[in-house]
């Protein structure tokens, strides 16, 4: 096997340099730990960007994948497949939605959701804008980028989809000004992940729902990062006590394999006829087999751990905030989707944590994103909080770069 340096230079030679990778070459991973090829062990507080709900190498995931590997891997959507149907049954039973469209990723789920909203809107003369919010992240396809505002992601790749608007997040007045009886859909993350763990305010969501009831547009909730129990509820929207018309999922639902899903009510699902949407791999049997294990673990009480560990982690982070008032300004998020907002760029803190054996991510310039596996325990949380204190001590004196 290559050393880390060798692997990094080989990667630079042959892979398009679109990722700002951490300087860690992976050997293997287990539970909440990642083992690098140079022998270092890291505590994983990122979980593959909120993917590995059950941690790494979970025995039940391995078992389900092995069994499915021996049955068949890919046969295409020309056929009826038990793992797809079973997972769809579990998702609809859990959510109360009536139908599922499987995809391979979050961005693809997002595009499918936008298409579905347009198809539904066109049957009801709601062909106006699809509205989204600043700071939102929905993926890297043209559809997703068309409702995002970050210039870096879009520069030079224009033109994007017409009929979209991006408004300030949590701004009730801007929302009221924009929506009307022709609005096709309003789309949002209830907690913006890439956008810095920014939480939709109760008032904002309440007004959004009131406007939907008044005008009849669809609400599309992007639960790609927040879904599958990460916030302590199965979906983040449950916290607000309303039901979106369309929901997108990915990340946690595949248990580490690429899988996405769109959930919708019967009325919305009925607008697509055979042939109007599809993908070769969507709902791949292997990914659905591991997805079933994730759902079984949810049924067995995984979210109780999220709530308990989320509360413990939050309490610890609040203590850290009061110990480092010169750097840490806020703790935000819900469950095991938490952010530490700083008054300076968060990359030095992420790097100081990495040097000390903890993986996190720096997002929205000044936020440290903490999205560990949902199976995390108290000892890992205590370990993380201890290392966080030493890392904050180390960056305390670095000049502000925000
Ligand atoms: N939506 C949200 C909220 C996300 O966080 C992401 C990815 O980070 C996506 C959509 C896109 O998912 P994918 O990277 O699987 O295309």
């Amino acid at each position: 096997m290559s050393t880390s340096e060798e692997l990094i230079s080989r990667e630079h030679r042959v892979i398009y340099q679109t990722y700002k990778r951490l300087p860690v070459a992976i050997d293997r991973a287990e539970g909440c730990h990642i083992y690098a090829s140079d022998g270092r062990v890291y505590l994983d507080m990122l979980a593959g960007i909120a993917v590995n709900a059950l941690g790494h190498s979970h025995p039940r995931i391995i078992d389900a994948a092995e069994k499915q590997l021996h049955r068949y891997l890919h046969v295409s959507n020309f056929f009826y497949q038990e793992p797809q149907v079973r997972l769809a049954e579990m998702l609809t039973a859990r959510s109360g939605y009536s139908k599922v469209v499987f995809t391979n990723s979050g961005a693809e789920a997002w595009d499918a959701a936008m298409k579905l909203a347009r198809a539904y809107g066109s049957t009801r003369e709601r062909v106006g804008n699809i509205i989204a919010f600043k700071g939102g992240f929905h993926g890297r396809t043209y559809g997703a980028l068309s409702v995002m505002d970050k210039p870096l992601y879009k520069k030079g790749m224009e033109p994007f989809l017409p009929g979209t608007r991006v408004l300030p997040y949590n701004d009730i007045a801007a929302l009221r000004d924009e929506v009307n009886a022709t609005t096709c859909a309003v789309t949002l993350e209830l907690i913006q992940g890439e956008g810095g763990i920014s939480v939709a305010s109760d008032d904002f969501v309440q007004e959004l729902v009131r406007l939907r009831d008044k005008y009849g547009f669809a609400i599309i909730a992007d639960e790609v990062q927040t879904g599958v129990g990460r916030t302590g509820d199965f979906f983040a929207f449950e916290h607000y006590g309303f039901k979106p018309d369309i929901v997108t999922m990915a990340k946690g639902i595949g248990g580490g394999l690429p899988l996405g899903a769109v959930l919708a009510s019967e009325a919305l699902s009925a607008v697509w006829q055979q042939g109007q949407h599809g993908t070769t791999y969507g709902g791949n049997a292997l990914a659905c087999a591991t997805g079933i294990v994730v759902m079984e673990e949810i049924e067995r009480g995984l979210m109780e751990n999220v709530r308990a560990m989320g509360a413990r982690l939050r309490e610890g982070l609040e203590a850290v905030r009061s110990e480092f008032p010169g750097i840490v300004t806020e703790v935000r998020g819900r469950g095991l989707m938490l952010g530490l907002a700083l008054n300076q760029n968060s990359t030095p803190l992420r790097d100081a944590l990495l040097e000390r054996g903890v993986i996190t991510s720096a997002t929205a310039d000044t936020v440290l994103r903490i999205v560990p596996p949902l199976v995390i325990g108290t000892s890992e949380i205590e370990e993380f909080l201890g290392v966080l204190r030493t890392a904050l001590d180390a960056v305390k004196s670095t000049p502000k770069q925000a």
Side-chain angles (χ1 to χ4, degrees):
M1 201 201 310
S2 299
T3 63
S4 297
E5 294 77 43
E6 267 172 22
L7 189 66
I8 289 167
S9 74
R10 281 171 54 209
E11 192 267 1
H12 282 15
R13 274 199 296 278
V14 293
I15 292 186
Y16 226 107
Q17 295 298 296
T18 55
Y19 296 107
K20 212 169 175 182
R21 297 183 201 269
L22 302 175
V24 179
I26 308 293
D27 177 20
R28 67 193 175 84
E30 201 177 327
C32 295
H33 290 93
I34 288 180
Y35 299 80
S37 47
D38 63 5
R40 291 203 66 185
V41 183
Y42 294 90
L43 175 64
D44 185 8
M45 299 298 284
L46 180 61
I49 323 181
V51 167
N52 303 99
L54 306 185
H56 301 277
S57 309
H58 191 283
R60 295 201 59 229
I61 292 274
I62 293 174
D63 186 48
E66 266 179 2
K67 286 193 174 118
Q68 187 58 42
L69 273 173
H70 289 287
R71 267 186 218 119
Y72 69 94
L73 264 181
H74 173 77
V75 291
S76 89
N77 284 313
F78 280 174
F79 302 96
Y80 294 94
Q81 301 174 59
E82 168 69 27
Q84 265 187 10
V85 176
R86 181 74 199 114
L87 182 56
E89 283 168 351
M90 296 173 100
L91 288 171
T92 51
R94 178 92 218 175
S95 66
Y97 287 98
S98 46
K99 293 273 191 322
V100 180
V101 176
F102 284 117
T103 67
N104 307 289
S105 66
E108 210 192 322
W110 192 251
D111 268 26
M114 285 176 69
K115 283 171 62 182
L116 187 58
R118 278 264 178 248
Y120 184 57
S122 69
T123 63
R124 306 161 63 235
E125 287 168 25
R126 273 163 217 288
V127 292
N129 284 333
I130 295 181
I131 294 164
F133 298 101
K134 291 186 179 179
F137 186 90
H138 306 293
R140 303 298 193 126
T141 56
Y142 263 103
L145 287 168
S146 298
V147 289
M148 286 162 54
D149 67 315
K150 192 166 168 172
L152 172 70
Y153 296 161
K154 301 174 76 166
K155 191 169 155 259
M157 293 176 261
E158 303 86 354
F160 290 91
L161 284 184
T164 61
R165 288 277 289 139
V166 182
L167 307 180
Y169 193 51
N170 278 335
D171 185 332
I172 290 177
L175 180 66
R176 277 190 197 136
D177 278 355
E178 188 62 34
V179 296
N180 57 47
T182 70
T183 300
C184 175
V186 177
T187 72
L188 83 167
E189 286 168 275
L190 291 151
I191 302 179
Q192 294 184 333
E194 297 292 319
I197 316 292
S198 301
V199 181
S201 71
D202 290 344
D203 290 352
F204 181 68
V205 175
Q206 238 173 46
E207 182 61 6
L208 174 61
V209 174
R210 192 189 69 78
L211 291 167
R212 171 183 67 176
D213 295 346
K214 178 172 177 192
Y215 291 120
F217 54 77
I219 298 179
I220 312 178
D222 185 336
E223 296 264 2
V224 164
Q225 197 159 150
T226 46
V228 201
R230 177 149 296 278
T231 66
D233 290 310
F234 187 70
F235 288 119
F237 68 73
E238 291 169 41
H239 170 83
Y240 298 87
F242 83 108
K243 203 163 174 192
D245 304 277
I246 307 177
V247 181
T248 58
M249 308 178 71
K251 292 191 184 275
I253 191 56
L257 279 145
L259 184 66
V262 181
L263 298 175
S265 65
E266 194 70 47
L268 273 126
S269 320
V271 299
W272 268 346
Q273 306 304 313
Q274 281 184 358
Q276 282 200 285
H277 189 73
T279 155
T280 301
Y281 289 112
N284 169 270
L286 188 61
C288 286
T290 53
I292 289 168
V293 175
V294 174
M295 288 304 292
E296 283 170 354
E297 292 298 319
I298 292 272
E299 303 307 336
R300 285 175 165 195
L302 181 62
M303 291 191 313
E304 280 157 33
N305 193 60
V306 176
R307 288 191 277 266
M309 292 306 113
R312 175 69 202 97
L313 182 54
R314 188 174 191 112
E315 194 184 305
L317 290 173
E318 289 289 2
V320 167
R321 182 177 67 88
S322 60
E323 288 160 38
F324 293 87
I327 305 180
V328 182
T329 57
E330 194 187 355
V331 179
R332 48 195 197 220
R334 239 176 237 129
L336 287 171
M337 182 170 181
L338 295 173
L340 206 58
L342 310 183
N343 64 4
Q344 61 187 60
N345 191 288
S346 53
T347 304
L349 178 59
R350 182 213 54 196
D351 292 345
L353 282 161
L354 190 70
E355 278 164 28
R356 290 160 179 77
V358 174
I359 297 172
T360 56
S361 100
T363 190
D365 298 332
T366 55
V367 178
L368 189 80
R369 176 170 42 174
I370 305 157
V371 283
L374 305 186
V375 292
I376 195 167
T378 44
S379 63
E380 282 117 359
I381 287 175
E382 294 314 318
E383 181 188 342
F384 167 66
L385 292 169
V387 178
L388 180 62
R389 286 183 168 91
T390 64
L392 277 165
D393 265 330
V395 297
K396 215 162 50 178
S397 48
T398 54
K400 291 183 187 177
Q401 300 166 25

